[in-house]
Amino acid sequence: MKGKEVLSRAMILGVVLILFFRVIPASQEHIRMEDPVYLFLDRMATLGYLPKFLNDTRPYTRDKVAAQLQILLSCKSHLTGIDRKILDEYVADYRLELHPEKRQFQIRDGNSYSFCRSRENLKTGLKNMFRYEDNREKQHLFVYEKEGETIWIDWSEALRAESKNGSYRPLNRDEIRFFAQLGKQFSVYFDGIRFVQYNVNNYTELSDDFKGGFVNDPKEEKISLRGYDYSDAYIQMTGQYGRFMLGTEPIFWGNSPNSLVLSDNVAPFPFFSWQKEFKEARFTFFHGSLLPADFTRDTLTGEKVFAKKFIVGHRWDLAVNPQLNFSFTEIYLYGNRDMELAYLVPPVILWPTQHNLMDRDNATMAFEFEYFPWAGSKFYGTLFLDEFTTTQIFNDYWANKQGIQLGVHYALSKLPTDFRIEFTAVHPWTYTHKFSYSSYTHNGVDLGFYAGPNSSLWFFENQWWPKKRLYASVQYRLLKHGREPLDESDPDYYPIGSNVNQNYNDRNQALDHKTTWLMGDIEKINEFGLQLSYRWRKEFIFDWRMKIVEMNGDFDRYFTFQVRFDY
């Protein structure tokens, strides 16, 4: 063990020395998953304005987004009038990258601005909040910019009213963010986000914002409430050898909003990563620590004891030509032991590596493509393989653990709208393993497809940008999901691979050669959704959502109205 620690420290020191002696400027703040710039750039890529844009590995960085905005500026005359206005707003928001010679507008004297520094700052800041000005950069609570160094501090609040079948409850979201670019290569970020929902009218289920983890349910409060919180953070160094990062934040790999590979369904988890951009390719590696769903109790203290659980993955994104992008991914999960040194070598092929580690781990890989036959159309697909058996690949064999996804994205050149239709199917037992520390989960929540194994989905979406400050989307989902025919209390009960946390050793082996793509009692769920977002002021956004869910003739109706403030 001591030798491993010395070797690990030597490796870390070597990487640090490389970074400090040979670096070039390339690092910027990560763009959060919910930022609407992802939707805008995806539509622009489908329209053909961003050829060879590799946009399926997220989060992006600000410099990556700025580079795409610069390309769009060169073909601005071809965009619709509304898209030109949207582009101008983004160019203003990315002033630091696109026009570094310009001073941040809040800074009047010196190199910094603080909202609370003076009465004049308070007065001006409040005035700007309630006045809309075209192409104005977003305000910050604190700003410092000087000779390549930048510090931003932001504060965000959201007040929300949620309704289910006529029962209402309030919810609030608090957030603080800190970002610092220290020189041209080193950057630091952290945030803290807290959700509090007030359980009134017997409406107690957790909101859609919950992604697993600890839930605070205080009994001593006079008002019934539930709370949960998350934090993203990272430190990173960027140079000619790529971007090295240690952090905890969501990772999204995939070319669909319903990714089979890595989605942002789960709470942030810690990892270190390396990403290197080439001319028409990108390599990404990460190794992280997860939490298994199962735990034991310490016999003396009663404390929860979790087995060690790790995830390692790498991904090649390649722009084959202006009409075709291709990606290859390997992701492995292992645990109940220390980190494997072999898995810390970024380009190593994981398939033979885990064989030489005695074939103990959950091995998965994915192949993805995007094809742009003409401007405005994109065909895309994913084949996800989880320990498949080559001799049985075309049979109804239980170990054909795989998922397929095919979709079409169509964008109109004359109107700011797009359409998406997509089909997904995930075979029973996909993502599962015989040990919880090797299942495709973090804290029991699926890392991949949100509906898990033994499911299929038809997904339709139409997005509109009627005005530069107004966004609308309509969605329809037809989800089919297989459930166990027997209750767990039944003495003849057996799992059929419908939940990622199930142990495949508990299966009914009489069904090993009768495991179809959907099996068991099939639940059919129809879901219709409508969303409107209006940016009333630069720092104020109004959101309204409606969702109707039908299952077995029963309907649930959800309505949400939210006011977001981001300063």
Side-chain angles (χ1 to χ4, degrees):
M1 182 68 181
K2 189 173 181 180
K4 282 188 176 181
E5 290 179 354
V6 172
L7 182 58
S8 297
R9 291 174 183 174
M11 290 174 62
I12 293 171
L13 179 60
V15 170
V16 171
L17 289 174
I18 288 174
L19 289 170
F20 272 96
F21 281 98
R22 299 195 67 180
V23 289
I24 59 174
S27 178
Q28 275 291 349
E29 182 182 15
H30 298 185
I31 307 301
R32 294 183 298 167
M33 296 294 183
E34 66 269 21
D35 196 303
V37 74
Y38 287 111
L39 303 178
F40 179 70
L41 293 180
D42 185 46
R43 183 163 60 91
M44 294 296 105
T46 298
L47 285 168
Y49 299 131
L50 301 175
K52 300 186 178 182
F53 177 38
L54 300 173
N55 63 339
D56 300 331
T57 303
R58 303 177 186 178
Y60 303 164
T61 55
R62 283 184 62 97
D63 57 333
K64 178 181 176 68
V65 172
Q68 303 310 310
L69 296 177
Q70 190 72 55
I71 295 173
L72 292 176
L73 284 172
S74 67
C75 56
K76 184 178 177 180
S77 61
H78 298 285
L79 306 183
T80 67
I82 291 175
D83 284 335
R84 288 197 294 269
K85 293 178 180 179
I86 294 174
L87 176 61
D88 288 340
E89 291 292 335
Y90 281 129
V91 169
D93 280 331
Y94 286 79
R95 178 268 322 165
L96 183 64
E97 294 78 19
L98 297 173
H99 300 288
E101 74 283 356
K102 294 184 178 180
R103 179 191 291 251
Q104 210 274 350
F105 82 98
Q106 290 176 280
I107 301 175
R108 297 181 179 274
D109 301 311
N111 302 303
S112 65
Y113 166 87
S114 174
F115 178 75
C116 302
R117 178 179 296 166
S118 66
R119 181 178 296 180
E120 180 64 25
N121 284 1
L122 285 169
K123 181 180 178 181
T124 304
L126 290 171
K127 182 179 179 180
N128 288 333
M129 283 185 207
F130 293 97
R131 179 184 64 186
Y132 189 86
E133 182 180 345
D134 288 327
N135 307 330
R136 171 175 69 77
E137 185 177 358
K138 176 190 171 299
Q139 296 188 96
H140 301 279
L141 197 64
F142 175 83
V143 184
Y144 172 83
E145 293 182 3
K146 181 183 178 182
E147 297 176 356
E149 294 190 345
T150 302
I151 298 176
W152 292 336
I153 299 178
D154 295 273
W155 166 46
S156 175
E157 288 286 335
L159 301 176
R160 184 190 308 169
E162 296 184 336
S163 168
K164 178 183 178 182
N165 298 330
S167 296
Y168 288 84
R169 70 173 180 201
L171 181 147
N172 69 276
R173 176 185 187 274
D174 315 309
E175 180 181 12
I176 189 72
R177 300 190 303 273
F178 173 93
F179 171 73
Q181 184 77 38
L182 306 177
K184 296 179 179 180
Q185 294 83 32
F186 187 72
S187 56
V188 181
Y189 174 88
F190 67 84
D191 64 36
I193 307 172
R194 184 188 66 161
F195 297 88
V196 178
Q197 62 183 53
Y198 301 89
N199 302 320
V200 296
N201 301 317
N202 296 317
Y203 188 6
T204 60
E205 67 184 59
L206 291 167
S207 72
D208 292 340
D209 303 287
F210 182 68
K211 298 183 178 182
F214 177 75
V215 178
N216 187 19
D217 195 1
K219 304 299 182 184
E220 66 275 8
E221 298 288 347
K222 294 183 179 180
I223 300 176
S224 176
L225 55 86
R226 306 179 79 182
Y228 48 93
D229 40 45
Y230 302 109
S231 179
D232 297 343
Y234 55 83
I235 56 174
Q236 67 181 3
M237 181 75 80
T238 301
Q240 71 182 74
Y241 296 113
R243 175 159 57 96
F244 295 82
M245 190 190 86
L246 173 65
T248 173
E249 67 175 356
I251 302 176
F252 188 98
W253 288 4
N255 52 27
S256 160
N258 308 295
S259 177
L260 293 175
V261 185
L262 283 177
S263 60
D264 59 346
N265 302 328
V266 302
F269 58 87
F271 63 91
F272 57 87
S273 66
W274 172 51
Q275 185 176 90
K276 173 60 179 174
E277 300 269 357
F278 301 93
K279 183 178 180 181
E280 295 175 352
R282 177 175 56 240
F283 177 77
T284 307
F285 162 83
F286 79 97
H287 190 291
S289 177
L290 303 175
L291 199 65
D294 299 335
F295 61 89
T296 59
R297 292 280 185 179
D298 186 278
T299 55
L300 295 178
T301 65
E303 181 184 5
K304 293 180 180 179
V305 179
F306 294 87
K308 293 180 180 179
K309 181 173 183 176
F310 301 105
I311 181 172
V312 58
H314 57 204
R315 178 181 178 91
W316 276 102
D317 294 299
L318 175 65
V320 180
N321 57 54
Q323 292 181 292
L324 180 63
N325 295 337
F326 175 79
S327 299
F328 171 70
T329 298
E330 284 188 299
I331 294 178
Y332 282 44
L333 294 100
Y334 69 101
N336 203 33
R337 63 188 194 266
D338 293 333
M339 286 193 298
E340 288 286 356
L341 189 60
Y343 285 156
L344 300 182
V345 182
V348 70
I349 301 176
L350 299 179
W351 179 265
T353 302
Q354 74 100 18
H355 284 164
N356 290 312
L357 293 172
M358 298 298 103
D359 200 22
R360 293 172 286 171
D361 307 326
N362 191 355
T364 74
M365 65 177 65
F367 302 87
E368 301 167 71
F369 78 91
E370 292 179 325
Y371 176 58
F372 305 83
W374 53 81
S377 295
K378 175 176 71 174
F379 296 87
Y380 61 92
T382 300
L383 174 62
F384 183 88
L385 302 175
D386 179 2
E387 299 185 80
F388 65 98
T389 304
T390 55
T391 58
Q392 300 284 345
I393 197 166
F394 297 109
N395 299 325
D396 292 332
Y397 187 56
W398 80 274
N400 286 340
K401 301 173 356 182
Q402 53 199 266
I404 58 171
Q405 188 172 74
L406 293 171
V408 179
H409 185 215
Y410 179 68
L412 298 180
S413 60
K414 302 299 183 182
L415 291 172
T417 183
D418 64 8
F419 301 84
R420 184 186 303 272
I421 185 168
E422 177 182 287
F423 175 74
T424 306
V426 183
H427 197 269
W429 299 111
T430 305
Y431 303 126
T432 66
H433 202 262
K434 57 186 174 182
F435 302 119
S436 67
Y437 53 75
S438 293
S439 66
Y440 206 83
T441 64
H442 175 40
N443 203 17
V445 181
D446 202 320
L447 289 160
F449 186 56
Y450 77 94
N454 199 15
S455 60
S456 69
L457 173 72
W458 279 102
F459 174 67
F460 172 80
E461 181 180 51
N462 177 212
Q463 300 181 111
W464 276 91
W465 289 259
K467 299 289 184 180
K468 72 171 183 177
R469 296 156 62 183
L470 179 62
Y471 167 79
S473 73
V474 178
Q475 292 185 353
Y476 171 71
R477 297 173 185 267
L478 172 57
L479 175 67
K480 294 182 179 180
H481 188 75
R483 297 287 186 185
E484 280 64 29
L486 300 175
D487 189 84
E488 287 191 53
S489 60
D490 193 298
D492 296 323
Y493 167 83
Y494 57 89
I496 60 172
S498 62
N499 187 300
V500 69
N501 293 295
Q502 291 175 341
N503 185 333
Y504 58 61
N505 277 349
D506 295 335
R507 71 189 186 279
N508 183 348
Q509 295 187 20
L511 299 176
D512 276 4
H513 294 273
K514 300 177 182 178
T515 303
T516 57
W517 279 87
L518 272 177
M519 58 186 301
D521 294 338
I522 308 302
E523 291 181 345
K524 181 179 177 182
I525 303 172
N526 288 282
E527 180 182 310
F528 173 79
L530 176 63
Q531 174 186 347
L532 296 172
S533 291
Y534 178 64
R535 185 174 289 276
W536 178 59
R537 296 293 183 263
K538 195 70 176 183
E539 287 77 31
F540 282 94
I541 303 99
F542 297 137
D543 300 310
W544 180 85
R545 292 181 176 89
M546 177 190 73
K547 184 172 70 173
I548 300 175
V549 181
E550 181 273 329
M551 184 173 66
N552 300 326
D554 296 325
F555 289 84
D556 286 319
R557 296 171 176 84
Y558 299 85
F559 294 91
T560 298
F561 178 74
Q562 176 177 265
V563 179
R564 284 184 287 153
F565 166 74
D566 192 347
Y567 188 93

